[in-house]
Amino acid sequence: MDYRLLMDTAVLAGEIMLSSGAETYRVEDTIAHMLKMANLKHTHVFVTATGFFATLSDPNMDAITVVRRVEKRSTNLNRIYLVNDISRKFCSEEIDLEKAFHELKCVKSEVQYSQRQKNIGVVLTVAFFCVLLGGETLDCILAAGIGVILAGGMTIGRKIKLNNFILDGINTAVIVMSTLALQYILPFLINTDTIIIGAIMPMVPGVAITNAIRDTLQGDYMSGGARMLEAFVEAAAIALGACLGIAVFRNM
């Protein structure tokens, strides 16, 4: 077996999963199972929320160690599923090493949704959350308009590579100011609380909090704590953005 290719394949699988929002223990388990297919004496994997390292070693060969830093993280459950499926097929010897590596490269390079589809999803998410929160027809229509502003802000923020804290804060401030402006134009006709809450829901770090709890329950306290802190920072950015939007609008 080509041990170098095996290491590259396992590391690629771990990188895709970690950047797609997978739990730390799941990433570690996937890399370890793939590396154990080499049947060498020592296989070591250590994963954190922001990177990992993996080692293959045996008395008859020089150790192979790879360290990988994962800076960009999002949530993509489809990619996690695809990597899990490929790794299981490889470990059960349904596919060979070369095919597993090729399929993982395809998963990494594949664009599942276009930017336009993502923006439409944000708009619909905002509108239907407004429905779930008890908004009236006018509230939902206006919430969809606020969703268009949010989608535009997210797109621009990603293009200029703003970090999540600043981006969430600015987007929330713009959402609050836009909603309060609508209330000024249409007094007593809309529920501003419902619209604002529905509009910030796409930014709420719900998956990050869930993964933090699952990592902590698995005993990965460092990764669980890091994810919890990341979720807290994102939530704080949303809260600060809402306060800033209200303050600026009142002063205007």
Side-chain angles (χ1 to χ4, degrees):
M1 177 178 287
D2 187 342
Y3 298 131
R4 175 59 65 180
L5 180 59
L6 175 63
M7 176 62 78
D8 291 341
T9 304
V11 165
L12 179 59
E15 182 182 2
I16 295 172
M17 294 182 71
L18 197 59
S19 64
S20 300
E23 304 93 327
T24 301
Y25 75 88
R26 188 186 300 275
V27 178
E28 192 169 289
D29 187 64
T30 299
I31 298 174
H33 272 83
M34 296 183 74
L35 291 180
K36 286 178 181 178
M37 294 297 292
N39 295 319
L40 298 179
K41 186 174 182 179
H42 299 292
T43 301
H44 301 291
V45 182
F46 181 74
V47 181
T48 68
T50 56
F52 59 90
F53 70 81
T55 299
L56 273 177
S57 64
D58 193 83
N60 300 320
M61 59 174 282
D62 294 331
I64 302 174
T65 301
V66 174
V67 179
R68 188 61 53 89
R69 178 83 161 88
V70 178
E71 297 181 353
K72 295 182 179 179
R73 296 179 300 279
S74 60
T75 301
N76 192 324
L77 300 181
N78 182 63
R79 281 189 172 184
I80 297 173
Y81 160 75
L82 291 175
V83 174
N84 273 330
D85 185 56
I86 294 169
S87 66
R88 288 192 176 99
K89 287 181 179 178
F90 171 68
C91 292
S92 62
E93 299 183 350
E94 295 181 31
I95 59 176
D96 58 20
L97 180 58
E98 288 77 10
K99 186 173 182 180
F101 183 68
H102 174 72
E103 290 187 2
L104 287 171
K105 288 181 67 177
C106 292
V107 171
K108 183 178 181 180
S109 60
E110 179 186 11
V111 178
Q112 186 178 4
Y113 300 110
S114 66
Q115 189 60 51
R116 177 178 296 180
Q117 290 173 317
K118 292 178 182 178
N119 290 340
I120 292 173
V122 170
V123 173
L124 294 178
T125 298
V126 171
F128 286 116
F129 261 115
C130 190
V131 174
L132 290 176
L133 294 169
E136 302 293 337
T137 302
L138 180 59
D139 295 332
C140 298
I141 294 173
L142 295 177
I146 299 296
V148 173
I149 297 174
L150 175 60
M154 287 180 166
T155 302
I156 295 172
R158 292 192 186 101
K159 286 184 178 180
I160 62 178
K161 298 181 179 180
L162 281 177
N163 66 59
N164 289 337
F165 182 85
I166 296 176
L167 181 58
D168 289 348
I170 292 175
N171 284 335
T172 305
V174 172
I175 286 171
V176 171
M177 292 172 62
S178 300
T179 306
L180 292 177
L182 290 174
Q183 184 189 39
Y184 183 79
I185 298 171
L186 303 170
F188 309 112
L189 294 179
I190 63 174
N191 188 336
T192 56
D193 293 341
T194 301
I195 296 175
I196 292 173
I197 295 172
I200 67 175
M201 288 305 293
M203 296 182 288
V204 172
V207 176
I209 295 173
T210 302
N211 287 346
I213 295 172
R214 296 187 66 175
D215 281 338
T216 302
L217 294 177
Q218 287 290 329
D220 296 321
Y221 300 116
M222 185 168 64
S223 295
R227 290 180 185 273
M228 188 65 73
L229 180 60
E230 181 181 13
F232 173 78
V233 169
E234 291 183 14
I238 294 172
L240 290 173
C243 293
L244 178 63
I246 293 173
V248 171
F249 186 82
R250 284 181 176 176
N251 289 330
M252 292 172 61

